[in-house]
Amino acid sequence: MTLNRRHFLSLSGVAALGAGLAPLLAARSAPPAASFPYALTDAQWRARLTPAQFDVLRREGTERPYTSPLNDEHRKGTFACAGCEQRLFSSSTKFDSGTGWPSFWQPLDAAVGETRDSSFGMVRTAVHCANCGGHLGHVFDDGPRPTGLRYCMNGVAMTFAPQA
Ligand SMILES: [Zn+2]
């Protein structure tokens, strides 16, 4: 009985979250299963990416925290997708989340898409590159102002170009 009720409550929570996110998802993205403007075969991706990049971008892996040099990148510039070079985040939206992953409170316009991720027994919102579909990380609602969002990114999935 208790279990059933808890189960019900948890499902309600998920439904509420889904309803809240639906307009956001519709406006921003297609699901990863959809085709993307920049598409390569797995073999082509393997040839183009390092094994660590391939694991994150093409297999939704997660890098170990505090391993990316981009954590400590504080120059002005732009973070781009390591798979297709699409510009993703401006340094002006980067903040230190204390998580060990590069974190941002807002992506560049139309740069990323978001999907529901229910792996590992959690319901999270996964973030992918809108151009190639590469997995970048997740977005949470405990970020700083002005958006209150925390885009928790895998540094290995991105490159950084300092402002000229
Ligand atoms: Zn990309």
Side-chain angles (χ1 to χ4, degrees):
M1 190 71 168
T2 308
L3 186 64
N4 282 343
R5 180 166 167 75
R6 189 177 302 151
H7 191 56
F8 171 77
L9 287 173
S10 129
L11 283 176
S12 307
V14 169
L17 183 67
L21 287 173
L24 200 64
L25 292 173
R28 286 203 191 164
S29 66
S35 59
F36 288 93
Y38 190 93
L40 298 179
T41 65
D42 260 8
Q44 289 171 319
W45 281 121
R46 283 188 192 280
R48 181 182 177 88
L49 303 172
T50 67
Q53 288 172 330
F54 184 88
D55 180 59
V56 170
L57 285 164
R58 310 313 308 179
R59 290 293 178 269
E60 303 193 13
T62 300
E63 73 187 6
R64 286 189 301 120
Y66 300 102
T67 56
S68 172
L70 295 188
N71 274 310
D72 301 315
E73 179 55 71
H74 298 300
R75 289 174 290 175
K76 285 186 179 177
T78 305
F79 296 81
C81 175
C84 72
E85 300 177 10
Q86 158 132 307
R87 291 152 52 90
L88 301 173
F89 295 95
S90 162
S91 59
S92 63
T93 62
K94 190 174 190 286
F95 69 98
D96 184 0
S97 63
T99 60
W101 289 287
S103 302
F104 304 83
W105 48 261
Q106 181 173 273
L108 295 173
D109 281 349
V112 305
E114 296 170 10
T115 55
R116 199 184 114 140
D117 174 2
S118 54
S119 63
F120 300 105
M122 298 175 275
V123 177
R124 299 178 293 172
T125 302
V127 177
H128 61 266
C129 170
N131 189 43
C132 73
H135 174 75
L136 302 169
H138 292 86
V139 59
F140 303 92
D141 61 6
D142 57 4
R145 293 181 181 188
T147 62
L149 298 174
R150 171 169 61 93
Y151 285 82
C152 184
M153 301 290 102
N154 290 281
V156 73
M158 300 186 295
T159 58
F160 176 74
Q163 203 168 56

